Structures are given as structure tokens and as C-alpha cells.
Amino acid sequence: MLRLYDVDVSSRLLLGTARYPSPAVLSEAVKRSSTGIVTVSLRRETAGGRAGGAFFELIRQMAVRVLPNTAGCHSASEAVLTAKMAREVFGTDWIKLEVIGHHDSLQPDVFELVEAARILTGEGFSVFPIRRTI
């Protein structure tokens, strides 16, 4: 059992939802993994005219906790706006916070990350900051 922000989850495994060949494969992966949490990029799923609504409905039907993320954001203000939209879409205050500082390596901008975390925690979000390493 894992406890995160006063929430007990049955599995320590977090499963991403990107790059599956089909919704059926994603659903089966979530089912077979027994994960309790899936991460979702709001920006990635709504970009380029994708059918984000159908994807988000599929995620809601999986009966797992959703951890939206701010992948693709390059500033604190962009990450905060994305987190607020994710809260509206998924009905959760959890956010996996990412702010890109270097486009090629995807290393974070730690100053913008800290600023975004400060703002979001002040607005009641449960923040999971991400630090990538090479």
C-alpha cells in the first residue's frame, strides 16, 4: 500500500497513457498492470486536432486515479494554466508538474518549476514535481 497526499493506492506502479497503438491496448495494459494511477498529458491529447474528449472519457471509465501532467510546458504560467484545465477536465487536484527548461534534453527549468509549485500549492493542488535525469 502506498499513501500519497492522504490517499491510499493499492499499487506503487504509475502507468503513462501515451503512445499506445489503440485505446483497446491502453485499456488492456491498465487492466493487466493492476495500476492504481495513470498519468495523462492534457496538452498532448488536445493538440493537433486530436479527439481529446473520447480519450478523456476512456480514461474516466478505467476506474483508476488520474494524475494529469503539465508535459510540454515551458513556463510557470503555462504549467499553472494547464493544471487548472486538467483539474476541470478530470476533477482532481493532483498534478504531475513538469516545466521544460531545455528542449532537446527535456531537463527542467528548476526556477519555473518551483514558481509553478508555489502557485499551485497555494491554490490547493497536490503537486508531484518531476525532475528528469540523464
Coordinates of all heavy atoms in Angstrom, one line a residue, residues 2 4 9-16 20 29-30 32-39 64-65:
L2 N 0.5 2.2 -0.8 CA 1.2 3.5 -0.9 C 0.3 4.6 -0.5 O -0.9 4.6 -1.0 CB 1.7 3.7 -2.3 CG 2.4 5.0 -2.7 CD1 3.7 5.1 -1.9 CD2 2.7 5.0 -4.2
L4 N -0.3 8.6 -0.7 CA 0.1 9.9 -1.3 C -0.9 10.9 -1.0 O -2.1 10.8 -1.4 CB 0.2 9.7 -2.8 CG 1.2 8.6 -3.3 CD1 1.0 8.4 -4.8 CD2 2.6 9.1 -3.1
V9 N -3.2 4.1 -2.2 CA -3.3 3.4 -3.5 C -2.8 2.0 -3.4 O -1.8 1.8 -2.7 CB -2.6 4.2 -4.6 CG1 -3.4 5.5 -4.9 CG2 -1.2 4.5 -4.3
S10 N -3.4 1.1 -4.1 CA -3.0 -0.3 -3.9 C -1.7 -0.7 -4.6 O -1.2 -1.8 -4.3 CB -4.2 -1.2 -4.4 OG -4.4 -0.9 -5.8
S11 N -1.3 0.1 -5.6 CA -0.1 -0.3 -6.3 C 0.9 0.9 -6.4 O 0.5 2.0 -6.5 CB -0.5 -0.7 -7.7 OG 0.7 -0.9 -8.5
R12 N 2.2 0.6 -6.3 CA 3.2 1.7 -6.5 C 3.5 2.0 -8.0 O 4.2 2.9 -8.3 CB 4.5 1.2 -5.8 CG 4.4 1.1 -4.3 CD 5.7 0.6 -3.7 NE 5.5 0.6 -2.3 CZ 5.9 1.5 -1.4 NH1 6.4 2.6 -1.9 NH2 5.7 1.3 -0.2
L13 N 2.8 1.3 -8.8 CA 3.1 1.5 -10.3 C 2.2 2.6 -10.8 O 1.0 2.6 -10.6 CB 2.7 0.2 -11.0 CG 2.8 0.2 -12.5 CD1 4.3 0.4 -13.0 CD2 2.2 -1.0 -13.2
L14 N 2.8 3.5 -11.5 CA 2.1 4.6 -12.2 C 2.3 4.3 -13.7 O 3.5 4.0 -14.1 CB 2.7 6.0 -11.9 CG 2.3 6.6 -10.6 CD1 2.9 5.9 -9.4 CD2 2.6 8.1 -10.6
L15 N 1.3 4.3 -14.4 CA 1.3 3.9 -15.8 C 1.0 5.1 -16.7 O 0.0 5.8 -16.5 CB 0.4 2.8 -16.1 CG 0.5 2.1 -17.5 CD1 1.8 1.4 -17.6 CD2 -0.7 1.1 -17.6
G16 N 1.9 5.4 -17.7 CA 1.6 6.5 -18.6 C 0.6 6.1 -19.6 O 0.3 4.9 -19.8
Y20 N 0.2 4.4 -27.0 CA -0.4 3.0 -27.2 C -0.9 3.0 -28.6 O -1.4 3.9 -29.1 CB -1.5 2.8 -26.2 CG -0.9 2.5 -24.8 CD1 -0.6 3.6 -23.9 CD2 -0.6 1.2 -24.4 CE1 -0.1 3.3 -22.7 CE2 0.0 1.0 -23.1 CZ 0.2 2.0 -22.3 OH 0.7 1.8 -21.0
A29 N -3.7 -2.8 -21.0 CA -2.4 -2.5 -20.3 C -2.8 -2.1 -18.8 O -2.2 -2.5 -17.9 CB -1.6 -1.5 -21.0
V30 N -3.7 -1.2 -18.7 CA -4.1 -0.7 -17.4 C -4.7 -1.8 -16.6 O -4.4 -2.0 -15.4 CB -5.1 0.5 -17.5 CG1 -5.7 0.8 -16.2 CG2 -4.4 1.7 -18.1
R32 N -4.3 -5.2 -16.9 CA -3.4 -6.2 -16.6 C -2.3 -5.8 -15.6 O -1.7 -6.6 -14.9 CB -2.7 -6.8 -17.9 CG -3.7 -7.6 -18.7 CD -2.9 -8.3 -19.8 NE -3.9 -9.1 -20.6 CZ -3.6 -10.1 -21.3 NH1 -2.4 -10.6 -21.3 NH2 -4.5 -10.7 -22.0
S33 N -2.0 -4.5 -15.6 CA -0.9 -4.0 -14.7 C -1.4 -3.8 -13.3 O -0.6 -3.8 -12.4 CB -0.4 -2.6 -15.2 OG -1.4 -1.6 -15.1
S34 N -2.7 -3.8 -13.1 CA -3.3 -3.5 -11.8 C -2.8 -2.2 -11.2 O -2.8 -2.1 -10.0 CB -3.0 -4.7 -10.8 OG -3.5 -5.9 -11.3
T35 N -2.4 -1.3 -12.0 CA -2.0 0.0 -11.5 C -3.2 0.8 -10.9 O -4.3 0.5 -11.3 CB -1.4 0.9 -12.7 OG1 -0.9 2.1 -12.1 CG2 -2.5 1.3 -13.7
G36 N -2.9 1.6 -10.0 CA -3.9 2.4 -9.3 C -3.9 3.9 -9.9 O -4.8 4.6 -9.6
I37 N -2.9 4.2 -10.6 CA -2.7 5.6 -11.1 C -2.2 5.6 -12.5 O -1.3 4.9 -12.9 CB -1.7 6.4 -10.2 CG1 -2.1 6.4 -8.8 CG2 -1.5 7.8 -10.8 CD1 -1.1 7.0 -7.8
V38 N -2.9 6.4 -13.4 CA -2.4 6.6 -14.7 C -2.1 8.1 -14.9 O -2.8 9.0 -14.4 CB -3.4 6.2 -15.8 CG1 -3.6 4.7 -15.8 CG2 -4.7 6.9 -15.7
T39 N -1.0 8.4 -15.6 CA -0.7 9.8 -15.9 C -1.2 10.1 -17.3 O -1.2 9.3 -18.2 CB 0.8 10.0 -15.9 OG1 1.5 9.2 -16.9 CG2 1.4 9.6 -14.5
V64 N -9.5 4.2 -12.4 CA -8.2 4.4 -11.7 C -8.0 5.9 -11.4 O -8.7 6.7 -12.0 CB -7.0 3.9 -12.6 CG1 -7.0 2.4 -12.7 CG2 -7.0 4.6 -13.9
R65 N -7.1 6.2 -10.5 CA -6.9 7.6 -10.2 C -6.1 8.2 -11.3 O -5.1 7.6 -11.8 CB -6.1 7.7 -8.9 CG -5.9 9.2 -8.5 CD -5.3 9.3 -7.1 NE -6.4 9.3 -6.1 CZ -7.0 10.4 -5.8 NH1 -6.8 11.5 -6.5 NH2 -7.9 10.4 -4.9

